[in-house]
C-alpha cells in the first residue's frame, strides 16, 4: 500500500538582492523558474531523507520521494 503525502515548499527570493544567483533566478521566465525549483526541491528532500536515514529501524514502512510516472 502506498500512501501519498502532499507537501508544498516555498522558496522566497529577495527581489532586492544583488547576488548573481538571485539575479539569474529572477530573470528566468516564471514557468522555467517553477520547473527548476520543483526539480531541485524534490532532489533536496530525497537527499535529506537519505542523510537522516529516516527509515532506519522501521520495519513496517518506508518513507521515500515518489518516482515520476
Amino acid at each position: 500500500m502506498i500512501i501519498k503525502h502532499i507537501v508544498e515548499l516555498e522558496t522566497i527570493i529577495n527581489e532586492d538582492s544583488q547576488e548573481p544567483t538571485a539575479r539569474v533566478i529572477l530573470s528566468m521566465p516564471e514557468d522555467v523558474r517553477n520547473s527548476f525549483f520543483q526539480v531541485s526541491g524534490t532532489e533536496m528532500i530525497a537527499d535529506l531523507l537519505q542523510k537522516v536515514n529516516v527509515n532506519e529501524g522501521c520495519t513496517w514502512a518506508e518513507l521515500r520521494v515518489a518516482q515520476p510516472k
Side-chain angles (χ1 to χ4, degrees):
M1 172 194 303
I2 297 175
I3 300 168
K4 299 270 184 190
H5 304 275
I6 306 298
V7 177
E8 196 170 65
L9 298 176
E10 292 181 332
T11 299
I12 295 94
I13 305 295
N14 177 359
E15 294 187 30
D16 296 327
S17 175
Q18 296 305 311
E19 291 288 327
T21 302
R23 303 299 344 143
V24 168
I25 291 168
L26 290 168
S27 71
M28 292 177 180
E30 185 176 357
D31 60 331
V32 173
R33 186 171 53 240
N34 287 336
S35 177
F36 171 79
F37 279 96
Q38 178 69 34
V39 170
S40 62
T42 300
E43 290 174 356
M44 179 187 71
I45 296 299
D47 188 49
L48 286 171
L49 290 175
Q50 278 187 325
K51 285 182 179 177
V52 174
N53 198 5
V54 71
N55 294 306
E56 184 177 7
C58 185
T59 59
W60 65 273
E62 174 185 359
L63 185 60
R64 65 182 183 204
V65 172
Q67 298 298 313
K69 294 179 180 185

